[in-house]
Amino acid sequence: MSKTWRTFIKELVRPMNLTERTQFEEAVGVTRTTINRWIRGEKGWPRPDNVKRLLAILTEEQQQEFLVLARKDPEFWEQLHATVSEEPANLPPLPPKWLDSFCYRLLRLQRDTPKPYRQLTGAILKEALTRLESHPNTGLEIIVATCMPPKDGKVRSLRASVGMGTSPWPDHQHTLNSLMGIESLAGYVVTKGHGEVIADLSDSSSLQLQVERATDAGSAAAFPILTQTHGTAGALLALSTQKNFFTEERITMLEIFADTIRLAFSETQFMSCIELGVLPPWDVQHTYFDSFRRRVNDAHQKALREGASPIHSEEQVFAQIEYELLQAGDRMEVHF
């Protein structure tokens, strides 16, 4: 049996104790009998004001799941859509038609995969390339930059962890070895807490920020991956060979993908204390990362000789390179 908004509510209230259940009913503004009738399908649909109160107490991920499931009930969704038209500030805007089935696939993937980061980011980047690409000759790359583990309680850089692109950039999901600081577009949006678009990277009057290592890029956009309650996990960065590529429609889609990619992260990956440093450009960074695999292998062998676990060798080397690059970046200046 497929999941519905009714079974969503059932699963939501099932683990609640008496006190929690009472608080939930008061927050939504209904009685226990009414909620039980919703679950059993005996009492139509929740009134719009009850839905608004329900959404207000759900997490952002739960809100998204509930709205996806609500749309699968056409009569219920029509009622909510009418409310959105009358009072646009009270419910999230009507999503594009493709989004509900896409988000539902992601939620199932998240549920059925023990460690879903690679699978979820791969599915989201693939969908983003399909939706954003307008012409076969337009190169497009999308990168997920994640927060490096904190040092002394502060996140000091972002790691370009996974990407996907079309010619002239890699046309398949790939891993990137590079770090980004406040000098980068990804670092800038993480620090500011909002998205940013650079329509023409050759325009000296625009923000002078690094956009990873794509020398053929004509325009770029980035959006933070964040929640209001848990902090920031990183940024979604998009590069195009075409200038002025990121129209309002594409910007809206990128914001949607930055929101949905949160599903790939656990709560512990969202950071609240971020103080990015300045890092050297890629032409300097690559001199450090050229020896990355050798350094990882050396760390692995050293751990084995000392009887320690080698499973964190890659993370340890990344942390060492981050420290070295931050030291090199201290001699640089950044102006926005």
Side-chain angles (χ1 to χ4, degrees), residues 197-201 218-220 240-248 250:
V197 176
I198 303 178
D200 183 356
L201 288 167
S219 57
S240 173
T241 55
Q242 179 181 319
K243 296 177 182 179
N244 302 304
F245 177 78
F246 296 100
T247 60
E248 287 298 320
R250 291 189 177 112

Side-chain angles (χ1 to χ4, degrees), residues 121-134:
T121 52
I124 292 168
L125 295 184
K126 183 177 181 181
E127 186 78 16
L129 284 178
T130 300
R131 298 289 172 186
L132 291 170
E133 191 176 9
S134 60

Side-chain angles (χ1 to χ4, degrees), residues 104-154:
Y104 189 65
R105 293 202 311 271
L106 294 179
L107 290 168
R108 288 179 63 88
L109 185 60
Q110 182 191 44
R111 182 196 66 189
D112 298 337
T113 309
K115 294 183 178 181
Y117 178 77
R118 288 287 172 183
Q119 291 87 340
L120 281 170
T121 52
I124 292 168
L125 295 184
K126 183 177 181 181
E127 186 78 16
L129 284 178
T130 300
R131 298 289 172 186
L132 291 170
E133 191 176 9
S134 60
H135 192 279
N137 295 328
T138 299
L140 185 62
E141 183 173 34
I142 305 177
I143 296 166
V144 180
T146 57
C147 290
M148 281 287 286
K151 179 68 174 176
D152 298 326
K154 299 176 181 178

Side-chain angles (χ1 to χ4, degrees), residues 3-187:
K3 191 171 184 178
T4 66
W5 65 265
R6 297 182 189 275
T7 56
F8 173 89
I9 294 177
K10 181 179 180 180
E11 292 175 4
L12 190 67
V13 301
R14 180 186 295 157
M16 295 180 182
N17 59 36
L18 182 59
T19 301
E20 293 169 336
R21 180 70 183 265
T22 301
Q23 292 172 341
F24 175 80
E25 292 154 2
E26 290 175 351
V28 179
V30 295
T31 65
R32 184 162 307 175
T33 300
T34 297
I35 289 179
N36 289 336
R37 286 179 176 177
W38 288 347
I39 293 172
R40 292 194 298 265
E42 298 175 2
K43 186 182 171 64
W45 314 283
R47 295 195 307 271
D49 62 315
N50 297 132
V51 173
K52 287 180 281 187
R53 294 173 70 166
L54 171 64
L55 291 173
I57 62 175
L58 297 178
T59 66
E60 293 178 63
E61 290 78 9
Q62 288 173 328
Q63 289 176 9
Q64 188 177 59
E65 182 178 6
F66 178 81
L67 292 171
V68 167
L69 295 172
R71 187 164 179 168
K72 293 168 71 70
D73 185 335
E75 292 181 280
F76 181 32
W77 185 253
E78 183 178 353
Q79 175 182 307
L80 293 184
H81 182 31
T83 304
V84 173
S85 301
E86 295 167 8
E87 303 175 78
N90 291 321
L91 282 174
L94 190 67
K97 290 184 178 180
W98 57 266
L99 184 60
D100 58 341
S101 60
F102 174 59
C103 286
Y104 189 65
R105 293 202 311 271
L106 294 179
L107 290 168
R108 288 179 63 88
L109 185 60
Q110 182 191 44
R111 182 196 66 189
D112 298 337
T113 309
K115 294 183 178 181
Y117 178 77
R118 288 287 172 183
Q119 291 87 340
L120 281 170
T121 52
I124 292 168
L125 295 184
K126 183 177 181 181
E127 186 78 16
L129 284 178
T130 300
R131 298 289 172 186
L132 291 170
E133 191 176 9
S134 60
H135 192 279
N137 295 328
T138 299
L140 185 62
E141 183 173 34
I142 305 177
I143 296 166
V144 180
T146 57
C147 290
M148 281 287 286
K151 179 68 174 176
D152 298 326
K154 299 176 181 178
V155 173
R156 301 287 287 140
S157 73
L158 308 175
R159 175 180 177 177
S161 63
V162 64
M164 189 177 290
T166 60
S167 180
W169 299 310
D171 59 357
H172 54 84
Q173 187 173 357
H174 55 277
T175 300
L176 304 166
N177 285 340
S178 63
L179 295 173
M180 306 177 189
I182 189 64
E183 79 296 332
S184 68
L185 178 57

